[in-house]
Amino acid sequence: MAESTAQPAEDASKLVIHHLNDSRSQRILWLVEELEVPYELKKYQRTPERLAPPELKAVNPLGNAPVITDGNLNLAESGAIVEYIIQKYGRGRAQPPESGTIDNLYYTHYAEASLMPMLVNKLIFRIIPQRSPFFLRPILKTAFNAVSARMLDPRLKVHAEMIETHLSKSNGFFAGGDEPTSADYMMIFCLEAWASEGGGDLGPQTKAYIDRIHSRPAYQRALQKGGEYAFAKTTS
Ligand SMILES: N[C@@H](CCC(=O)N[C@@H](CS)C(=O)NCC(=O)O)C(=O)O
């Protein structure tokens, strides 16, 4: 969703980040902290059902996060936001080296298009039994665990191997340069969510990558500013 709002934003000169706790908007906070882009933070709290609160609908008809407001523009979808901010505010930073252009393109899109849907399914399969009537829980838990083990885990194993192989050759970041690029800003949330679901087959290079990103000062600043974030655990 990208729309020109009829009303100008209060302060059109400042980028506004609409941040939901425990969510993909942590990607955007890390990015702006890393690039030292001035911004205003608007925080939203998940409901007891872990949904986004209705106020987010004022800036995104889908009601989810992240969203940014830049002047008259409201822009949702974390991949679009990452690319927009790098292009408009990056001052030449966060660019992949020539040799990493295709890896950057691939992992920037792979994160939400291929990996995240499987991780979300895994999460949903775990949550459905917990939120079902008490007497149905044991049978639903058995059924959904079986579906997860048969349909998701073997596929996730292949993904984990691909990522591990890539990171073992890519010299620190997904595009192989000397600073994070859009691929890193997109991939970190998936890997964090995966690790916090048990980590399954995540390899040592992948775990070391997550810990390395967590140790960056800009990442730590983003955590402090954003507040509650359940996924920034160390992997060891
Ligand atoms: N593909 C979208 C996914 C957006 C999304 O599902 N956001 C979640 C947070 S991680 C959300 O707002 N969930 C609460 C809800 O949908 O009510 C993106 O990358 O921005």
Side-chain angles (χ1 to χ4, degrees), residues 125-146:
F125 288 176
R126 182 170 61 74
I127 286 176
I128 289 174
Q130 291 170 3
R131 299 199 181 170
S132 305
F134 178 70
F135 61 93
L136 285 177
R137 275 181 215 163
I139 187 155
L140 286 178
K141 193 172 172 195
T142 307
F144 278 101
N145 279 350

Side-chain angles (χ1 to χ4, degrees), residues 75-86:
L75 182 64
E77 200 57 51
S78 51
I81 296 170
V82 165
E83 293 197 37
Y84 176 88
I85 290 177
I86 290 175

Side-chain angles (χ1 to χ4, degrees), residues 93-148:
R93 291 196 44 201
Q95 297 301 323
E98 183 68 32
S99 58
T101 311
I102 299 302
D103 284 334
N104 190 52
L105 181 66
Y106 176 74
Y107 281 103
T108 297
H109 293 275
Y110 160 81
E112 280 297 314
S114 290
L115 181 54
M116 216 47 222
M118 285 196 301
L119 296 173
V120 169
N121 277 343
K122 202 164 166 59
L123 176 75
I124 289 173
F125 288 176
R126 182 170 61 74
I127 286 176
I128 289 174
Q130 291 170 3
R131 299 199 181 170
S132 305
F134 178 70
F135 61 93
L136 285 177
R137 275 181 215 163
I139 187 155
L140 286 178
K141 193 172 172 195
T142 307
F144 278 101
N145 279 350
V147 174
S148 205

Side-chain angles (χ1 to χ4, degrees), residues 149-188:
R150 207 169 304 155
M151 291 183 61
L152 292 175
D153 293 351
R155 291 177 194 208
L156 280 168
K157 189 172 189 306
V158 177
H159 285 247
E161 283 163 6
M162 178 186 79
I163 294 166
E164 179 72 7
T165 304
H166 180 72
L167 285 175
S168 65
K169 292 186 294 199
S170 74
N171 198 28
F173 298 109
F174 272 92
D178 54 11
E179 67 168 335
T181 62
S182 55
D184 300 285
Y185 295 110
M186 292 304 291
M187 283 299 291
I188 188 65

